[in-house]
Amino acid sequence: MYAQPQPNPSFAAMTFDQMLERVRYEGAYPTRERAEEAVRTVLAALGRQLVGDERVDLAQALPVEAALTLTAQVPDTEQLTGWGFVKEMAARAGTSPAVARWDTGAVLAVVSRLAGPDLLGRILRGLPGGYALLFGQAELRQPQPAA
């Protein structure tokens, strides 16, 4: 019998304000407004990449305001690699890839705690390579079969 995934109890009841404060701390942002801008930008970009049950389950793990930002996006027909995700987010936000990568790390560090290890693993299995590092996880590569 398989164990049912359990929510991460330490972050399960986080409000949007608490999420913003965590992101502000993680990203060392000078203001709450800057943290909120990063949250909305990153979650909108992530919403364009996630599909299926993982999208729904992540939305349920997030505070309502964050979930609405994630689910308001129509998923793209072509998934981007982790680096492609950062470059596309930088282009949409009008920032440099370095700023987009910083924002991504700050927001997804908090999102990964809200999601918990089971959901995060499912999310990463459904995305192309390069996302584990964005979520603050080790990127383990599977050996490629010999041709």
Coordinates of all heavy atoms in Angstrom, one line a residue, residues 27-124:
G27 N 14.5 36.7 -1.0 CA 15.1 37.5 -2.1 C 15.8 38.8 -1.6 O 16.3 39.5 -2.4
A28 N 15.7 39.1 -0.3 CA 16.3 40.3 0.2 C 15.8 41.5 -0.5 O 16.5 42.5 -0.8 CB 17.8 40.2 0.2
Y29 N 14.5 41.5 -0.8 CA 13.8 42.7 -1.4 C 13.6 43.8 -0.5 O 13.3 43.6 0.7 CB 12.5 42.2 -2.1 CG 12.6 41.2 -3.1 CD1 12.1 39.9 -2.9 CD2 13.3 41.5 -4.3 CE1 12.2 39.0 -3.9 CE2 13.4 40.5 -5.3 CZ 12.9 39.3 -5.1 OH 13.0 38.3 -6.1
P30 N 13.8 45.0 -0.9 CA 13.7 46.2 0.0 C 12.3 46.5 0.4 O 12.1 47.1 1.4 CB 14.3 47.3 -0.9 CG 14.1 46.9 -2.3 CD 14.2 45.4 -2.3
T31 N 11.3 46.1 -0.4 CA 9.9 46.4 -0.1 C 9.0 45.2 -0.3 O 9.4 44.3 -1.1 CB 9.4 47.6 -1.0 OG1 9.3 47.2 -2.3 CG2 10.2 48.9 -0.8
R32 N 7.9 45.3 0.3 CA 6.9 44.2 0.1 C 6.3 44.3 -1.3 O 6.0 43.2 -1.9 CB 5.7 44.5 1.1 CG 4.6 43.4 1.1 CD 3.6 43.8 2.1 NE 2.5 42.8 2.2 CZ 1.5 42.7 1.3 NH1 1.4 43.6 0.4 NH2 0.6 41.8 1.4
E33 N 6.2 45.5 -1.9 CA 5.7 45.6 -3.2 C 6.7 44.9 -4.2 O 6.2 44.3 -5.2 CB 5.6 47.1 -3.6 CG 4.5 47.8 -2.9 CD 4.8 48.1 -1.4 OE1 5.9 48.2 -1.0 OE2 3.8 48.2 -0.6
R34 N 8.0 45.0 -4.0 CA 8.9 44.4 -4.9 C 8.8 42.9 -4.8 O 8.9 42.1 -5.8 CB 10.3 44.8 -4.6 CG 11.4 44.2 -5.4 CD 11.3 44.5 -6.9 NE 12.3 43.8 -7.7 CZ 12.0 42.6 -8.3 NH1 10.8 42.0 -8.2 NH2 13.0 42.0 -8.9
A35 N 8.6 42.4 -3.6 CA 8.4 40.9 -3.4 C 7.1 40.5 -4.1 O 7.1 39.4 -4.7 CB 8.3 40.6 -1.9
E36 N 6.0 41.3 -4.0 CA 4.8 40.9 -4.6 C 4.9 40.9 -6.1 O 4.4 40.0 -6.8 CB 3.7 41.9 -4.2 CG 2.3 41.5 -4.8 CD 1.2 42.3 -4.2 OE1 1.4 43.1 -3.3 OE2 0.0 42.1 -4.7
E37 N 5.7 41.8 -6.7 CA 5.9 41.9 -8.1 C 6.6 40.6 -8.5 O 6.3 40.0 -9.6 CB 6.8 43.1 -8.5 CG 7.2 43.2 -9.9 CD 8.1 44.4 -10.1 OE1 8.0 45.4 -9.4 OE2 9.0 44.2 -11.0
A38 N 7.6 40.1 -7.8 CA 8.4 38.9 -8.1 C 7.4 37.7 -8.0 O 7.4 36.8 -8.9 CB 9.5 38.7 -7.1
V39 N 6.6 37.6 -7.0 CA 5.7 36.5 -6.8 C 4.7 36.4 -8.0 O 4.5 35.4 -8.6 CB 4.9 36.6 -5.5 CG1 3.7 35.7 -5.5 CG2 5.8 36.4 -4.3
R40 N 4.1 37.5 -8.4 CA 3.2 37.5 -9.5 C 3.8 37.2 -10.8 O 3.3 36.4 -11.6 CB 2.4 38.9 -9.5 CG 1.5 39.0 -8.3 CD 0.5 40.2 -8.5 NE -0.2 40.4 -7.2 CZ -1.2 39.7 -6.8 NH1 -1.6 38.7 -7.5 NH2 -1.8 40.1 -5.7
T41 N 5.0 37.7 -11.1 CA 5.7 37.4 -12.3 C 6.1 36.0 -12.4 O 5.9 35.3 -13.4 CB 7.0 38.3 -12.4 OG1 6.6 39.7 -12.4 CG2 7.7 38.1 -13.7
V42 N 6.7 35.4 -11.3 CA 7.1 34.0 -11.4 C 6.0 33.1 -11.4 O 6.0 32.1 -12.2 CB 8.1 33.7 -10.2 CG1 8.4 32.2 -10.1 CG2 9.3 34.5 -10.2
L43 N 4.9 33.3 -10.6 CA 3.8 32.4 -10.6 C 3.0 32.4 -12.0 O 2.5 31.4 -12.4 CB 2.8 32.7 -9.5 CG 3.4 32.3 -8.1 CD1 2.4 32.6 -7.0 CD2 3.7 30.8 -8.1
A44 N 3.0 33.6 -12.6 CA 2.4 33.7 -13.9 C 3.2 32.9 -14.9 O 2.6 32.1 -15.7 CB 2.3 35.1 -14.4
A45 N 4.5 33.0 -14.9 CA 5.4 32.2 -15.8 C 5.2 30.7 -15.5 O 5.1 29.9 -16.4 CB 6.8 32.7 -15.6
L46 N 5.2 30.3 -14.2 CA 5.0 28.9 -13.9 C 3.7 28.4 -14.3 O 3.5 27.3 -14.8 CB 5.2 28.7 -12.4 CG 5.2 27.3 -11.9 CD1 6.4 26.5 -12.5 CD2 5.4 27.3 -10.4
G47 N 2.6 29.2 -14.2 CA 1.3 28.8 -14.7 C 1.2 28.5 -16.2 O 0.4 27.8 -16.6
R48 N 2.1 29.1 -16.9 CA 2.2 28.8 -18.4 C 2.9 27.5 -18.7 O 2.9 27.0 -19.8 CB 2.9 30.0 -19.1 CG 2.0 31.3 -19.2 CD 2.6 32.3 -20.0 NE 3.9 32.9 -19.5 CZ 3.9 33.9 -18.7 NH1 2.8 34.4 -18.1 NH2 5.1 34.4 -18.3
Q49 N 3.6 26.9 -17.7 CA 4.3 25.7 -17.9 C 3.6 24.5 -17.3 O 3.9 23.4 -17.7 CB 5.7 25.9 -17.3 CG 6.6 26.9 -17.9 CD 6.8 26.7 -19.4 OE1 7.2 25.6 -19.8 NE2 6.4 27.6 -20.2
L50 N 2.9 24.7 -16.2 CA 2.3 23.5 -15.5 C 0.9 23.1 -16.1 O 0.1 24.0 -16.5 CB 2.1 23.8 -14.0 CG 3.3 23.9 -13.2 CD1 2.9 24.2 -11.7 CD2 4.1 22.6 -13.2
V51 N 0.7 21.8 -16.1 CA -0.6 21.3 -16.6 C -1.1 20.2 -15.7 O -0.3 19.7 -14.9 CB -0.5 20.8 -18.1 CG1 -0.2 21.9 -19.0 CG2 0.5 19.7 -18.2
G52 N -2.3 19.8 -15.8 CA -2.8 18.6 -15.2 C -3.0 18.7 -13.7 O -3.2 19.8 -13.1
D53 N -2.9 17.5 -13.1 CA -3.1 17.4 -11.6 C -2.1 18.2 -10.8 O -2.4 18.8 -9.8 CB -3.1 16.0 -11.2 CG -4.3 15.2 -11.6 OD1 -5.3 15.8 -12.0 OD2 -4.2 13.9 -11.7
E54 N -0.9 18.3 -11.3 CA 0.2 19.1 -10.6 C -0.2 20.6 -10.5 O 0.0 21.2 -9.5 CB 1.5 18.9 -11.3 CG 2.1 17.5 -11.1 CD 1.4 16.4 -11.9 OE1 0.9 16.8 -13.0 OE2 1.4 15.3 -11.5
R55 N -0.8 21.1 -11.6 CA -1.2 22.5 -11.6 C -2.3 22.7 -10.6 O -2.3 23.6 -9.8 CB -1.7 22.8 -13.0 CG -2.2 24.2 -13.2 CD -2.7 24.4 -14.6 NE -3.4 25.6 -14.9 CZ -2.8 26.7 -15.4 NH1 -1.6 26.7 -15.8 NH2 -3.6 27.8 -15.6
V56 N -3.3 21.8 -10.6 CA -4.4 21.9 -9.6 C -3.9 21.7 -8.2 O -4.3 22.5 -7.3 CB -5.5 20.8 -10.0 CG1 -6.6 20.8 -8.9 CG2 -6.1 21.1 -11.3
D57 N -3.1 20.7 -7.9 CA -2.6 20.5 -6.6 C -1.7 21.6 -6.1 O -1.8 22.0 -4.9 CB -1.9 19.1 -6.5 CG -2.8 18.0 -6.8 OD1 -4.0 18.1 -6.7 OD2 -2.3 16.9 -7.0
L58 N -0.9 22.2 -6.9 CA -0.1 23.3 -6.5 C -1.0 24.5 -6.2 O -0.8 25.2 -5.2 CB 0.9 23.7 -7.6 CG 1.8 24.9 -7.2 CD1 2.6 24.6 -5.9 CD2 2.8 25.2 -8.3
A59 N -2.0 24.8 -7.0 CA -2.9 25.9 -6.7 C -3.6 25.7 -5.4 O -3.8 26.7 -4.6 CB -4.0 26.0 -7.8
Q60 N -3.9 24.5 -5.0 CA -4.5 24.2 -3.7 C -3.6 24.4 -2.5 O -4.0 24.8 -1.4 CB -5.1 22.8 -3.7 CG -6.3 22.6 -4.5 CD -6.7 21.1 -4.5 OE1 -6.0 20.2 -4.2 NE2 -8.0 20.9 -4.9
A61 N -2.3 24.2 -2.8 CA -1.3 24.4 -1.7 C -0.9 25.9 -1.5 O -0.3 26.2 -0.5 CB 0.0 23.6 -2.1
L62 N -1.2 26.7 -2.5 CA -0.8 28.2 -2.4 C -1.9 29.0 -1.7 O -3.1 28.6 -1.8 CB -0.6 28.7 -3.8 CG 0.6 28.1 -4.6 CD1 0.6 28.7 -6.0 CD2 1.9 28.4 -3.9
P63 N -1.6 30.1 -1.2 CA -2.6 31.1 -0.8 C -3.5 31.5 -2.0 O -3.0 31.4 -3.1 CB -1.9 32.3 -0.2 CG -0.5 31.7 0.1 CD -0.2 30.6 -0.9
V64 N -4.7 31.8 -1.7 CA -5.7 32.1 -2.8 C -5.2 33.1 -3.8 O -5.3 32.8 -5.0 CB -7.1 32.6 -2.2 CG1 -8.0 33.0 -3.3 CG2 -7.7 31.5 -1.3
E65 N -4.6 34.2 -3.4 CA -4.2 35.2 -4.3 C -3.1 34.7 -5.2 O -3.0 35.0 -6.4 CB -3.7 36.5 -3.6 CG -4.7 37.2 -2.7 CD -4.8 36.6 -1.3 OE1 -4.4 35.5 -1.1 OE2 -5.3 37.4 -0.5
A66 N -2.2 33.9 -4.7 CA -1.1 33.3 -5.5 C -1.7 32.2 -6.4 O -1.3 32.1 -7.6 CB -0.1 32.6 -4.5
A67 N -2.6 31.4 -5.9 CA -3.3 30.4 -6.8 C -4.0 31.0 -8.0 O -3.9 30.5 -9.1 CB -4.2 29.6 -5.9
L68 N -4.6 32.2 -7.8 CA -5.3 32.8 -8.9 C -4.3 33.3 -9.9 O -4.6 33.3 -11.1 CB -6.1 34.0 -8.3 CG -7.4 33.6 -7.5 CD1 -8.0 34.8 -6.9 CD2 -8.4 32.8 -8.3
T69 N -3.2 33.8 -9.5 CA -2.1 34.2 -10.4 C -1.6 33.1 -11.3 O -1.5 33.1 -12.5 CB -1.0 34.9 -9.7 OG1 -1.5 36.0 -9.0 CG2 0.1 35.3 -10.7
L70 N -1.4 31.9 -10.6 CA -0.9 30.7 -11.3 C -2.0 30.2 -12.3 O -1.6 29.9 -13.4 CB -0.6 29.6 -10.2 CG -0.2 28.3 -10.8 CD1 1.3 28.3 -11.0 CD2 -0.5 27.2 -9.8
T71 N -3.2 30.1 -11.9 CA -4.2 29.5 -12.7 C -4.8 30.4 -13.7 O -5.6 30.0 -14.6 CB -5.3 28.8 -11.8 OG1 -5.9 29.9 -11.0 CG2 -4.8 27.7 -11.0
A72 N -4.6 31.7 -13.7 CA -5.1 32.6 -14.6 C -4.4 32.5 -16.0 O -4.9 33.0 -17.0 CB -5.0 34.1 -14.1
Q73 N -3.3 31.8 -16.0 CA -2.5 31.7 -17.2 C -2.9 30.4 -18.0 O -3.2 29.4 -17.4 CB -1.0 31.5 -16.8 CG -0.5 32.6 -16.0 CD -0.7 34.0 -16.6 OE1 -0.3 34.2 -17.8 NE2 -1.2 34.9 -15.9
V74 N -2.9 30.6 -19.3 CA -3.2 29.5 -20.2 C -1.9 28.8 -20.4 O -0.9 29.4 -20.8 CB -3.8 29.9 -21.5 CG1 -4.0 28.8 -22.5 CG2 -5.1 30.7 -21.3
P75 N -1.8 27.4 -20.2 CA -0.5 26.7 -20.4 C -0.1 26.8 -21.8 O -0.9 26.8 -22.8 CB -0.9 25.3 -20.0 CG -2.0 25.4 -19.1 CD -2.8 26.6 -19.6
D76 N 1.2 27.0 -22.0 CA 1.8 27.1 -23.3 C 1.8 25.7 -23.9 O 1.8 24.7 -23.2 CB 3.3 27.5 -23.3 CG 3.4 29.0 -23.0 OD1 2.5 29.8 -23.2 OD2 4.5 29.4 -22.5
T77 N 1.8 25.6 -25.3 CA 1.8 24.3 -25.9 C 3.1 23.7 -25.9 O 3.2 22.5 -26.1 CB 1.3 24.5 -27.4 OG1 2.1 25.4 -28.1 CG2 -0.2 24.9 -27.4
E78 N 4.2 24.5 -25.8 CA 5.5 24.0 -25.8 C 6.2 24.3 -24.4 O 6.2 25.5 -24.1 CB 6.3 24.6 -26.9 CG 7.7 24.0 -27.0 CD 8.5 24.6 -28.2 OE1 7.8 24.8 -29.3 OE2 9.7 24.8 -28.1
Q79 N 6.6 23.3 -23.7 CA 7.3 23.6 -22.4 C 8.7 24.0 -22.6 O 9.4 23.6 -23.5 CB 7.3 22.3 -21.5 CG 5.9 22.0 -21.0 CD 6.0 20.8 -20.0 OE1 6.7 19.8 -20.2 NE2 5.3 21.0 -18.9
L80 N 9.1 25.0 -21.8 CA 10.5 25.5 -21.8 C 11.4 24.8 -20.9 O 10.9 24.3 -19.8 CB 10.5 27.0 -21.4 CG 9.6 27.9 -22.3 CD1 9.5 29.3 -21.7 CD2 10.2 28.0 -23.7
T81 N 12.7 24.7 -21.2 CA 13.6 24.2 -20.2 C 13.7 25.2 -19.0 O 13.2 26.3 -19.1 CB 15.0 24.0 -20.8 OG1 15.5 25.4 -21.2 CG2 15.0 23.1 -22.0
G82 N 14.4 24.9 -18.0 CA 14.6 25.8 -16.9 C 15.2 27.1 -17.3 O 14.8 28.2 -17.0
W83 N 16.3 27.0 -18.1 CA 16.9 28.3 -18.6 C 16.0 29.0 -19.6 O 15.9 30.3 -19.5 CB 18.2 27.9 -19.3 CG 18.9 29.1 -19.9 CD1 19.3 29.3 -21.1 CD2 19.3 30.3 -19.2 NE1 19.9 30.5 -21.3 CE2 19.9 31.2 -20.1 CE3 19.2 30.8 -17.9 CZ2 20.4 32.5 -19.8 CZ3 19.7 32.0 -17.5 CH2 20.3 32.9 -18.5
G84 N 15.3 28.3 -20.4 CA 14.3 29.0 -21.3 C 13.2 29.7 -20.5 O 12.7 30.8 -20.9
F85 N 12.8 29.1 -19.4 CA 11.8 29.7 -18.5 C 12.3 31.0 -18.0 O 11.6 32.0 -18.0 CB 11.5 28.7 -17.3 CG 10.6 29.2 -16.2 CD1 9.3 29.1 -16.4 CD2 11.2 29.7 -15.1 CE1 8.4 29.6 -15.4 CE2 10.4 30.2 -14.1 CZ 9.0 30.1 -14.2
V86 N 13.5 31.0 -17.5 CA 14.1 32.3 -17.0 C 14.3 33.3 -18.0 O 13.9 34.5 -17.8 CB 15.5 32.0 -16.3 CG1 16.2 33.3 -15.9 CG2 15.3 31.1 -15.1
K87 N 14.7 32.9 -19.2 CA 14.9 33.9 -20.3 C 13.5 34.5 -20.8 O 13.4 35.7 -21.0 CB 15.6 33.3 -21.5 CG 17.1 33.0 -21.2 CD 17.9 32.6 -22.5 CE 17.2 31.5 -23.3 NZ 18.0 31.0 -24.4
E88 N 12.5 33.6 -20.9 CA 11.2 34.0 -21.3 C 10.6 35.0 -20.2 O 10.0 36.0 -20.6 CB 10.3 32.8 -21.5 CG 9.0 33.1 -22.2 CD 7.8 33.2 -21.2 OE1 8.0 32.9 -20.0 OE2 6.7 33.7 -21.7
M89 N 10.8 34.7 -19.0 CA 10.3 35.5 -17.9 C 11.0 36.9 -17.9 O 10.3 37.9 -17.7 CB 10.5 34.8 -16.5 CG 9.7 35.4 -15.4 SD 9.8 34.6 -13.9 CE 11.4 35.2 -13.3
A90 N 12.3 36.9 -18.2 CA 13.0 38.2 -18.2 C 12.5 39.0 -19.4 O 12.3 40.2 -19.2 CB 14.5 37.9 -18.4
A91 N 12.3 38.4 -20.5 CA 11.8 39.1 -21.7 C 10.4 39.7 -21.4 O 10.1 40.9 -21.7 CB 11.7 38.2 -22.9
R92 N 9.5 39.0 -20.8 CA 8.2 39.4 -20.5 C 8.2 40.6 -19.5 O 7.4 41.5 -19.5 CB 7.3 38.3 -20.0 CG 6.8 37.4 -21.1 CD 5.8 36.4 -20.5 NE 5.4 35.4 -21.5 CZ 4.2 35.4 -22.0 NH1 3.3 36.2 -21.6 NH2 3.9 34.5 -22.9
A93 N 9.1 40.4 -18.5 CA 9.1 41.4 -17.4 C 10.0 42.6 -17.7 O 10.0 43.6 -17.0 CB 9.6 40.7 -16.1
G94 N 10.8 42.5 -18.8 CA 11.6 43.6 -19.2 C 12.8 43.8 -18.2 O 13.3 44.9 -18.0
T95 N 13.3 42.6 -17.7 CA 14.5 42.6 -16.8 C 15.6 41.8 -17.4 O 15.4 41.2 -18.5 CB 14.1 42.1 -15.4 OG1 13.8 40.7 -15.6 CG2 13.0 42.8 -14.8
S96 N 16.7 41.7 -16.8 CA 17.8 40.9 -17.2 C 17.6 39.5 -16.8 O 16.8 39.2 -15.8 CB 19.1 41.4 -16.6 OG 19.2 41.1 -15.2
P97 N 18.2 38.5 -17.5 CA 18.1 37.1 -17.0 C 18.6 36.9 -15.6 O 18.1 36.1 -14.9 CB 19.0 36.3 -18.0 CG 18.9 37.2 -19.3 CD 18.9 38.6 -18.8
A98 N 19.6 37.7 -15.2 CA 20.1 37.6 -13.8 C 19.0 38.0 -12.8 O 18.8 37.3 -11.8 CB 21.3 38.4 -13.6
V99 N 18.3 39.0 -13.0 CA 17.2 39.5 -12.1 C 16.1 38.4 -12.2 O 15.5 38.1 -11.1 CB 16.7 40.9 -12.5 CG1 15.4 41.2 -11.8 CG2 17.8 41.9 -12.3
A100 N 15.8 38.0 -13.4 CA 14.7 36.9 -13.5 C 15.1 35.7 -12.7 O 14.2 35.1 -12.0 CB 14.4 36.6 -14.9
R101 N 16.3 35.3 -12.8 CA 16.8 34.1 -12.1 C 16.7 34.3 -10.6 O 16.3 33.4 -9.8 CB 18.2 33.7 -12.5 CG 18.9 32.6 -11.7 CD 18.1 31.3 -11.9 NE 18.7 30.2 -11.1 CZ 18.3 29.9 -9.9 NH1 17.3 30.5 -9.3 NH2 18.8 28.9 -9.3
W102 N 17.1 35.5 -10.1 CA 17.0 35.8 -8.7 C 15.6 35.7 -8.2 O 15.3 35.1 -7.2 CB 17.6 37.2 -8.4 CG 17.7 37.6 -7.0 CD1 16.7 38.2 -6.3 CD2 18.7 37.3 -6.1 NE1 17.1 38.4 -5.0 CE2 18.3 37.8 -4.8 CE3 20.0 36.7 -6.2 CZ2 19.1 37.7 -3.7 CZ3 20.8 36.6 -5.1 CH2 20.3 37.1 -3.8
D103 N 14.7 36.4 -8.9 CA 13.3 36.4 -8.6 C 12.7 34.9 -8.5 O 12.0 34.6 -7.6 CB 12.4 37.2 -9.6 CG 12.7 38.7 -9.4 OD1 13.4 39.1 -8.5 OD2 12.2 39.4 -10.4
T104 N 13.1 34.2 -9.5 CA 12.6 32.8 -9.6 C 13.1 32.0 -8.4 O 12.3 31.3 -7.8 CB 13.2 32.1 -10.9 OG1 12.7 32.8 -12.0 CG2 12.7 30.7 -11.0
G105 N 14.3 32.1 -8.0 CA 14.9 31.4 -6.9 C 14.2 31.8 -5.6 O 13.8 30.9 -4.8
A106 N 13.9 33.1 -5.4 CA 13.3 33.6 -4.2 C 11.9 33.0 -4.1 O 11.4 32.6 -3.0 CB 13.3 35.1 -4.1
V107 N 11.1 33.1 -5.2 CA 9.7 32.7 -5.1 C 9.6 31.2 -5.1 O 8.8 30.7 -4.2 CB 9.0 33.3 -6.4 CG1 7.5 32.7 -6.4 CG2 9.0 34.8 -6.3
L108 N 10.3 30.5 -5.9 CA 10.2 29.0 -5.9 C 10.7 28.3 -4.7 O 10.3 27.2 -4.4 CB 10.8 28.5 -7.2 CG 10.1 28.9 -8.5 CD1 10.7 28.2 -9.7 CD2 8.6 28.7 -8.4
A109 N 11.6 29.0 -3.9 CA 12.0 28.4 -2.7 C 10.8 28.3 -1.7 O 10.6 27.4 -1.0 CB 13.1 29.3 -2.1
V110 N 10.0 29.4 -1.7 CA 8.8 29.4 -0.8 C 7.8 28.5 -1.4 O 7.1 27.7 -0.7 CB 8.3 30.8 -0.7 CG1 7.0 30.9 0.1 CG2 9.3 31.7 0.0
V111 N 7.6 28.5 -2.7 CA 6.6 27.6 -3.3 C 6.9 26.1 -3.1 O 6.1 25.3 -2.8 CB 6.5 27.9 -4.9 CG1 5.7 26.8 -5.6 CG2 5.9 29.2 -5.1
S112 N 8.2 25.8 -3.1 CA 8.6 24.4 -2.9 C 8.3 23.9 -1.5 O 7.8 22.8 -1.2 CB 10.1 24.2 -3.2 OG 10.9 24.8 -2.2
R113 N 8.4 24.8 -0.5 CA 8.0 24.5 0.9 C 6.5 24.4 1.0 O 6.0 23.5 1.8 CB 8.5 25.6 1.8 CG 10.0 25.4 2.1 CD 10.6 26.4 3.1 NE 11.6 27.1 2.3 CZ 11.9 28.4 2.4 NH1 11.2 29.1 3.3 NH2 12.8 28.9 1.7
L114 N 5.8 25.2 0.3 CA 4.3 25.1 0.4 C 3.8 23.8 -0.3 O 2.9 23.2 0.2 CB 3.7 26.3 -0.3 CG 3.7 27.6 0.5 CD1 3.4 28.8 -0.4 CD2 2.8 27.6 1.6
A115 N 4.5 23.4 -1.4 CA 4.1 22.2 -2.1 C 4.4 21.0 -1.3 O 3.6 20.0 -1.4 CB 4.8 22.2 -3.5
G116 N 5.5 21.0 -0.6 CA 6.0 19.8 0.0 C 6.7 18.9 -0.9 O 6.6 19.0 -2.1
P117 N 7.4 17.9 -0.4 CA 8.3 17.1 -1.2 C 7.6 16.2 -2.2 O 8.1 16.0 -3.3 CB 9.1 16.2 -0.2 CG 8.3 16.3 1.0 CD 7.6 17.6 1.0
D118 N 6.4 15.6 -1.9 CA 5.7 14.7 -2.8 C 5.2 15.5 -4.0 O 5.5 15.1 -5.2 CB 4.5 14.1 -2.1 CG 5.0 13.1 -1.0 OD1 6.1 12.6 -1.1 OD2 4.2 12.9 -0.1
L119 N 4.5 16.6 -3.8 CA 4.0 17.4 -5.0 C 5.2 18.0 -5.7 O 5.1 18.0 -7.0 CB 3.1 18.5 -4.5 CG 2.5 19.4 -5.5 CD1 1.9 18.7 -6.7 CD2 1.6 20.4 -4.9
L120 N 6.2 18.5 -5.1 CA 7.3 19.0 -5.8 C 8.0 18.0 -6.7 O 8.3 18.3 -7.8 CB 8.4 19.6 -4.8 CG 9.6 20.3 -5.4 CD1 9.2 21.4 -6.3 CD2 10.5 20.7 -4.4
G121 N 8.1 16.8 -6.2 CA 8.7 15.7 -7.1 C 7.8 15.5 -8.3 O 8.4 15.3 -9.4
R122 N 6.5 15.5 -8.1 CA 5.6 15.3 -9.3 C 5.7 16.4 -10.3 O 5.7 16.2 -11.5 CB 4.2 15.1 -8.8 CG 3.9 13.8 -8.1 CD 2.5 13.6 -7.6 NE 1.5 14.4 -8.2 CZ 0.5 15.1 -7.6 NH1 0.5 15.2 -6.3 NH2 -0.4 15.8 -8.3
I123 N 5.8 17.6 -9.7 CA 6.0 18.8 -10.6 C 7.2 18.7 -11.4 O 7.3 18.9 -12.6 CB 5.9 20.1 -9.8 CG1 4.5 20.4 -9.2 CG2 6.4 21.3 -10.6 CD1 4.4 21.5 -8.2
L124 N 8.3 18.4 -10.7 CA 9.6 18.3 -11.4 C 9.7 17.2 -12.5 O 10.3 17.3 -13.5 CB 10.8 18.2 -10.4 CG 11.0 19.4 -9.5 CD1 12.1 19.1 -8.5 CD2 11.4 20.6 -10.4

